[in-house]
Amino acid sequence: MLLERNNRSSFLQEIEGKREVEISSCFQCKKCSNGCPVNFAMDIMPHKIIHMIRLGLKDEALKSSTIWACASCETCTTRCPNNIDIAKLMDALRQMATDSGFDTAQKDVPVFHSAFLSSIKKRGRIHELGMIGEYKLKTGDFMKDSRLGWEMFKRGKLKILPSGVRGRKEIRGIFDEAGRRKRS
Amino acid sequence: MRVSYYPGCSLEGSARDYDESLRAVFDVLGIELREVEDWNCCGASSAHITDDFLSAALPMRNLEIAEKENNDLLIPCMACFNRLKSAEKAAIGEIKTDVKTSYKGKIKIKHILDFLSEDSNLASIGRFVKKPLTGIKVVSYYGCLYARPPKITDVTDYEDPRSMDKLINILGAESKPWSFKTDCCGGNLALTRIDIVRRLSNNLFDMAVEAGADCIAVACPLCHANLDTRQKEISDEYGKGYYLPVFYITELIGLSMGHSDVEKWLRRHLVDPMGLLRSVGLM
């Protein structure tokens, strides 16, 4: 299916307009997909995601396991011959999927990021033990990594008491501003 | 000499060994580290995956504070380095942002590897080597975010970085060439997609062994977490008997200086490096 220049899918407009990731210069060379270290865990290859955006296949792209398998290693962005920021595109798709409350393919990953950010919002710094605790509470999976946690604890690698910044009001202000922008 | 230091959250916890060895080494070198006053988390991957504004505003606060001191800003973590460099590029208008900032971009943001491998610092480290690390074969593992994307990191040899190799060689160890210097260990998927982390890290161990290395040097808390703390379970899953101690580059420098705290740092590792160090007479 060929789309005329004036018949750009609304999905493409959203990605290139609101999300500011230019993808139109993609000529499907597949360098991103071939060089991706995580491609074995993706159901749709990154170059195909780009094509799906052109075709307006929004639900399919946002439901893909691809966007949550991406490790943000930036290999694709570094190597794209047309300077497409594919890693940023993955961020944009993840944001669209979470913002719209999409039933994502990989639930644990967004839950982790939300626990991580809530730790920053509270104290301005990550308290690893508290953050991991919140993540475990939300996923209900307490057994995974419990042995590893103990081994790290024994070696003093898990700090018990959190530290925090004095400028918590400033940090809270940054989160409030981000929230306002998201709603507007 | 005085420099600003942004430790980042991991160095207060799971990467205490990195922080302790780094401070010890700088103390010996006579370089004063001034911790960025009241620094906050850079937001790491969670911020850029979730929200563009947060991902620029959180690191920007640190740059604004650091700029007042007007010294080079040193960062030990690859992810923090990448996020603060990204905020710098936003502040100077190279990438678009909605974040308003007073940061002018006057200070240099450097990863620890870049700073320590500068000619004068390399020479200075060389002068403090008391126990050359002869007999240790090391692969240098830089991971993803030190080098990529180069438009953010300003690293020029991003496909084959050399800064850590230079350091390893000046310590008297042998840096082994390999082509997995900047391949991904799974990074921020450390706690969520352990299946991916295991597979990627297994590749790295496999290739390190093939390169003839008997240990791995890193300069990032997340690389260390994936390669050190998960090495045993990866060995078990893939039926391999990996024994590849994972050192922070600052631990190797401290070791070569004969620093008295070395054992304290290394005791925090899950893959115990003592066997290797004894076998070459360094312990």
Side-chain angles (χ1 to χ4, degrees):
Chain A
M1 183 167 67
L2 277 176
L3 292 173
E4 298 295 327
R5 193 179 288 267
N6 57 3
N7 188 22
R8 291 152 58 92
S9 79
S10 60
F11 189 21
L12 176 62
Q13 284 172 34
E14 190 174 357
I15 291 289
E16 294 204 322
K18 187 172 170 216
R19 304 282 170 173
E20 296 175 338
V21 193
E22 293 290 331
I23 61 159
S24 292
S25 58
C26 173
F27 50 38
Q28 295 283 298
C29 73
K30 304 184 190 168
K31 205 167 182 177
C32 50
S33 299
N34 285 325
C36 175
V38 200
N39 58 16
F40 62 86
M42 294 175 168
D43 53 356
I44 302 168
M45 290 296 110
H47 74 282
K48 284 194 180 172
I49 294 275
I50 293 183
H51 198 52
M52 288 166 82
I53 295 168
R54 286 172 167 158
L55 297 176
L57 301 172
K58 184 171 178 178
D59 285 10
E60 289 81 348
L62 297 189
K63 274 185 194 157
S64 69
S65 68
T66 303
I67 60 177
W68 300 109
C70 165
S72 305
C73 77
E74 303 275 352
T75 306
C76 49
T77 294
T78 300
R79 293 182 180 167
C80 175
N82 292 331
N83 291 319
I84 297 171
D85 194 341
I86 301 134
K88 189 176 178 215
L89 172 66
M90 292 295 153
D91 281 345
L93 294 170
R94 288 184 280 232
Q95 289 169 19
M96 287 168 81
T98 39
D99 291 353
S100 57
F102 229 78
D103 189 18
T104 54
Q106 254 291 300
K107 291 188 181 56
D108 288 3
V109 186
V111 168
F112 172 80
H113 295 308
S114 122
F116 194 95
L117 291 176
S118 102
S119 187
I120 303 176
K121 193 174 173 181
K122 264 184 231 149
R123 297 191 184 83
R125 289 183 195 169
I126 290 295
H127 175 233
E128 291 165 326
L129 199 57
M131 182 269 292
I132 293 167
E134 184 174 339
Y135 170 61
K136 297 269 174 207
L137 268 179
K138 284 181 175 167
T139 55
D141 187 357
F142 291 96
M143 291 318 289
K144 190 164 79 178
D145 285 338
S146 55
R147 186 199 65 83
L148 189 56
W150 173 239
E151 294 296 329
M152 291 176 74
F153 181 75
K154 280 196 297 191
R155 288 167 176 80
K157 277 181 162 284
L158 289 175
K159 195 179 176 203
I160 299 171
L161 294 175
S163 70
V165 304
R166 291 189 301 280
R168 281 182 211 185
K169 266 191 182 160
E170 286 170 68
I171 302 296
R172 191 58 66 97
I174 291 173
F175 276 86
D176 289 348
E177 178 67 15
R180 272 194 297 278
R181 283 167 186 274
K182 193 155 269 186
R183 284 190 298 275
S184 68
Chain B
M1 191 193 328
R2 182 189 286 166
V3 290
S4 289
Y5 176 51
Y6 174 86
C9 305
S10 297
L11 275 82
E12 292 194 321
S14 58
R16 277 175 68 184
D17 26 13
Y18 193 10
D19 185 67
E20 291 161 354
S21 56
L22 190 153
R23 289 179 192 267
V25 162
F26 273 72
D27 191 39
V28 173
L29 294 173
I31 302 168
E32 186 192 345
L33 288 172
R34 297 269 293 245
E35 196 165 321
V36 174
E37 182 77 21
D38 205 38
W39 59 269
N40 61 274
C41 174
C42 70
S45 296
S46 294
H48 73 71
I49 283 170
T50 309
D51 188 277
D52 289 347
F53 184 84
L54 275 183
S55 80
L58 287 171
M60 202 71 88
R61 177 177 177 273
N62 298 307
L63 294 182
E64 289 166 2
I65 297 170
E67 195 167 43
K68 290 181 193 141
E69 293 277 327
N70 206 22
N71 296 316
D72 284 1
L73 174 60
L74 303 194
I75 304 173
C77 166
M78 304 299 186
C80 300
F81 170 69
N82 202 288
R83 295 323 304 159
L84 269 66
K85 283 292 287 182
S86 181
E88 173 197 44
K89 299 294 180 189
I92 61 175
E94 287 185 20
I95 54 179
K96 267 188 84 171
T97 183
D98 292 334
V99 175
K100 291 192 179 63
T101 179
S102 59
Y103 180 64
K104 303 273 189 303
K106 282 191 304 195
I107 55 171
K108 287 209 173 76
I109 303 167
K110 295 178 180 174
H111 188 272
I112 287 289
L113 282 179
D114 289 326
F115 178 77
L116 292 177
S117 63
E118 286 170 6
D119 288 345
S120 57
N121 293 327
L122 205 57
S124 170
I125 291 169
R127 282 195 292 276
F128 282 102
V129 172
K130 283 192 198 139
K131 287 197 327 187
L133 308 184
T134 318
I136 307 188
K137 298 190 258 325
V138 194
V139 282
S140 53
Y141 177 61
Y142 299 80
C144 304
L145 299 176
Y146 163 66
R148 287 190 301 263
K151 66 183 174 191
I152 299 294
T153 63
D154 294 320
V155 170
T156 49
D157 52 1
Y158 54 87
E159 291 281 2
D160 183 19
R162 301 284 169 91
S163 50
M164 192 155 30
D165 297 79
K166 284 190 205 164
L167 285 160
I168 289 166
N169 289 330
I170 205 135
L171 305 178
E174 183 189 352
S175 95
K176 300 296 276 186
W178 71 323
S179 52
F180 279 66
K181 284 180 177 180
T182 63
D183 275 49
C184 185
C185 69
N188 72 63
L189 301 172
L191 292 169
T192 51
R193 291 297 304 270
I194 299 166
D195 55 326
I196 293 178
V197 170
R198 284 179 181 162
R199 181 160 160 174
L200 295 180
S201 297
N202 178 58
N203 286 344
L204 295 171
F205 295 143
D206 233 5
M207 297 315 293
V209 170
E210 196 177 303
D214 37 40
C215 61
I216 302 173
V218 298
C220 168
L222 209 52
C223 299
H224 196 274
N226 284 338
L227 298 182
D228 176 62
T229 60
R230 293 201 183 278
Q231 192 172 128
K232 186 180 181 306
E233 64 188 55
I234 294 167
S235 261
D236 293 346
E237 181 176 333
Y238 287 86
K240 310 267 181 146
Y242 294 127
Y243 174 62
L244 289 163
V246 186
F247 294 100
Y248 288 111
I249 187 67
T250 44
E251 292 176 330
L252 289 178
I253 299 172
L255 181 65
S256 76
M257 289 170 164
H259 202 283
S260 55
D261 288 346
V262 168
E263 282 186 61
K264 186 179 93 181
W265 314 326
L266 300 185
R267 266 203 302 270
R268 299 195 192 280
H269 294 201
L270 268 76
V271 180
D272 183 359
M274 292 307 169
L276 168 66
L277 298 180
R278 281 193 202 103
S279 75
V280 292
L282 282 165
M283 277 286 167

